[in-house]
Amino acid sequence: MSRETLNPSSIILPGSLLGVMGGGQLGRMFALEAIRQGYMVAVFDPDPESPAGLIAHQHLCADFSDNAALDEFGEACAAVTTEFENVPADSLRRLATLTRVAPGADALEVAQDRRVEKTFFSKAGIDTVRWKAIESDADIEAAVAEVGESSIIKTATLGYDGKGQRVCNGVAEVREAFAELGAVACVLEQRISLAAEISVVAARNDNGEIACYPPGENVHRNGILHTTVVPAQLTTARLEQAQNCAVLLLEALNYVGVLALEFFIATDGQLLANEMAPRPHNSGHFTQDACISSQFDQQVRALCNMPLGDPRVQGAAAMLNLLGDAWAEGDPDWPAVLEQPECTLHLYGKAEARAGRKMGHINLIGPDSITVREGLAEVAKVMKIAP
Ligand code: ADP
Ligand code: MG
C-alpha cells in the first residue's frame, strides 16, 4: 500500500508518549526501540522493579485491573500496546475508550484461551494438532478417544514456558494430570512426534500493510525456548506456507501490531499451528541484529501507524537464550562473549538470576546457517550452557 493512503490524522509522531501494558523484557526492548525513534514511553506494570519500568520515562505501578490507574494511563498516552498476553481484555477495552490501543482486546482474547485460539486457527484455514476441550472429568474419555493415547494436557489459560502442561498416556494419566492442574478448563492435544519447531513473526498496520520475517527454527528445553536459527532448514515451500498462515491469521484478526505464530513440523512433514502470541516473541529476537527493522521497531511503527520496515534477513542469524542457570557460579565471562565479533549481548536488567528465569539473550550473525550454528555452539560453551 502506498504512503499516500495513510490517514495523516492517525499517525502518532515522535515526541508522543507511547504506553506499554506489561513491564517485562519485551516491554523493555519495545521501550528502548521507541526511545531510539524519539518517542517517550510509559510502562504499566505492578512490579516496581520491572525491566521496562526501570528504563521508561514513566512507570505506572498498578494492578492491570485498576480502573483509576487505567484511566490515568489512557489519558496520558497517545497510544498503548502490550507485551504480555494476559492483560485483562476488559482493561484494554477501557483503555480503548481513551486512546488508541493496538493490538486490540479481541485479538488478546483469542490468544488467552487455547480453546478459542485453536478454534480460530481452524476457521482461518490453519491446521492444528487434533485436540479436545476438557472442562470436567466427564469429558476425559471422549477426549482421549479423539486425540489418542499419547497426549499433552494443557490448561486453557495462563500457561507459558511449558508451565501448566503434562504429558500423558491413556485415560488414567489424563485424569491424574487434570486433577493435578486444579481441574481447571484444559485442552487435550494429540502428542505428535516433532521433526522441528518453527515460528513466524509478522507485523500489520492499520492500512493492512504486512511485514513478515523469515521463519525461525526453534529448539526448546524444558518447555522454554533455547535457540532460534534463521534460515530454518526446511523447503522454501514449507517456509512460505508458514508465512502464508501468519498472513491469514493477521488478516482474520484484523490485527494491528506484531504477532508470532508457533508451528510444529511433524515427522510426516505436516505443518501444524501450535499457538500465537499477540506481541513480539522470544523467537523473533534475532531481528534486532539481523534485520533493518526489528520486531520492536515494527511494534512502534504499527502502533504509530507508520509504514512498516524491511523484514528481510541478509545471510543467517541465531539467538541463544540466557537463563538464570548460567549465573549459578556467578557472573558469566562477558569479555569472552563480547570478544566474538559476530555476537551481540542483550540483558534485561533483572537483579536476581533464578534458575529458568529469562535474563537475556545473545544474537549471532553470519553468512549461512552452518556458520551461525557453529557460532552458537561456541558461545554456549563460553556461557557454560550445554549446546
Ligand atoms: P507454552 O505456552 O508453554 O509455550 P506450548 O504449547 O508452546 O506451550 O508448548 C511448549 C513446548 O512443548 C512446545 O514448543 C513443544 O516443544 C512441546 N509441545 C507442546 N505441545 C505439543 C504436542 N501436541 N506435541 C508434541 N510436543 C508438544
Ligand atoms: Mg509455546
Side-chain angles (χ1 to χ4, degrees), residues 221-244:
R221 217 175 251 180
N222 305 319
I224 306 176
L225 185 65
H226 173 50
T227 58
T228 301
V229 174
V230 173
Q233 296 305 287
L234 294 165
T235 63
T236 310
R238 260 291 168 273
L239 299 176
E240 276 172 8
Q241 190 192 352
Q243 288 182 311
N244 291 340

Side-chain angles (χ1 to χ4, degrees), residues 114 160-162 165 197 220 223 262 274-275 281:
R114 293 187 194 271
Y160 70 99
D161 286 346
Q165 45 182 276
E197 291 187 74
H220 293 87
E262 293 180 16
N274 172 27
E275 59 173 355
H281 194 253

Side-chain angles (χ1 to χ4, degrees), residues 89-349:
D90 284 342
S91 299
L92 289 188
R93 291 205 171 92
R94 189 173 183 106
L95 283 170
T97 65
L98 298 166
T99 189
R100 172 177 163 83
V101 175
D106 293 353
L108 260 80
E109 256 172 354
V110 172
Q112 283 170 353
D113 188 318
R114 293 187 194 271
R115 295 167 294 182
V116 180
E117 185 176 56
K118 288 182 198 298
T119 306
F120 196 91
F121 288 169
S122 300
K123 278 202 191 129
I126 301 168
D127 293 337
T128 68
V129 291
R130 287 207 308 272
W131 70 280
K132 200 89 174 131
I134 296 181
E135 273 132 29
S136 75
D137 269 319
D139 299 328
I140 291 177
E141 264 180 49
V144 173
E146 163 76 20
V147 161
E149 291 292 302
S150 176
S151 66
I152 299 191
I153 187 170
K154 303 179 181 177
T155 57
T157 63
L158 301 175
Y160 70 99
D161 286 346
K163 293 184 177 69
Q165 45 182 276
R166 302 275 188 281
V167 171
C168 301
N169 254 302
V171 171
E173 283 188 24
V174 175
R175 273 194 214 292
E176 205 176 302
F178 179 63
E180 230 179 83
L181 292 172
V184 294
C186 285
V187 296
L188 191 71
E189 293 181 13
Q190 163 198 21
R191 184 169 181 233
I192 60 162
S193 151
L194 297 172
E197 291 187 74
I198 62 170
S199 54
V200 174
V201 175
R204 183 173 179 274
N205 67 12
D206 273 339
N207 300 302
E209 190 191 345
I210 290 177
C212 192
Y213 292 102
E217 188 168 340
N218 301 323
V219 173
H220 293 87
R221 217 175 251 180
N222 305 319
I224 306 176
L225 185 65
H226 173 50
T227 58
T228 301
V229 174
V230 173
Q233 296 305 287
L234 294 165
T235 63
T236 310
R238 260 291 168 273
L239 299 176
E240 276 172 8
Q241 190 192 352
Q243 288 182 311
N244 291 340
C245 288
V247 169
L248 275 179
L249 181 61
L250 285 167
E251 286 175 345
L253 289 166
N254 195 22
Y255 194 86
V256 176
V258 173
L259 168 152
L261 181 54
E262 293 180 16
F263 298 90
F264 301 136
I265 312 279
T267 42
D268 66 4
Q270 268 195 93
L271 178 78
L272 301 164
N274 172 27
E275 59 173 355
M276 62 174 267
R279 51 169 172 78
H281 194 253
N282 196 166
S283 68
H285 290 351
F286 70 88
T287 63
Q288 291 173 306
D289 296 294
C291 302
I292 290 179
S293 278
S294 73
Q295 59 173 348
F296 303 103
D297 182 358
Q298 309 284 29
Q299 187 180 19
V300 174
R301 289 168 181 246
L303 181 62
C304 298
N305 207 22
M306 293 288 187
L308 298 178
D310 187 344
R312 284 174 301 181
V313 172
Q314 299 288 340
M319 190 262 346
L320 172 71
N321 252 353
L322 305 179
L323 302 184
D325 312 63
W327 276 250
E329 290 162 24
D331 279 311
D333 186 355
W334 298 128
V337 171
L338 296 174
E339 209 168 62
Q340 314 207 21
E342 69 279 21
C343 290
T344 55
L345 176 63
H346 301 255
L347 291 174
Y348 309 147

Side-chain angles (χ1 to χ4, degrees), residues 12 16 31 71 88 102 166 172 186-187 269 275 278 357 359 365 384:
I12 294 166
S16 309
D71 291 349
R166 302 275 188 281
C186 285
V187 296
E275 59 173 355
R357 189 177 198 202
M359 300 298 289
I365 305 302
K384 298 190 176 124

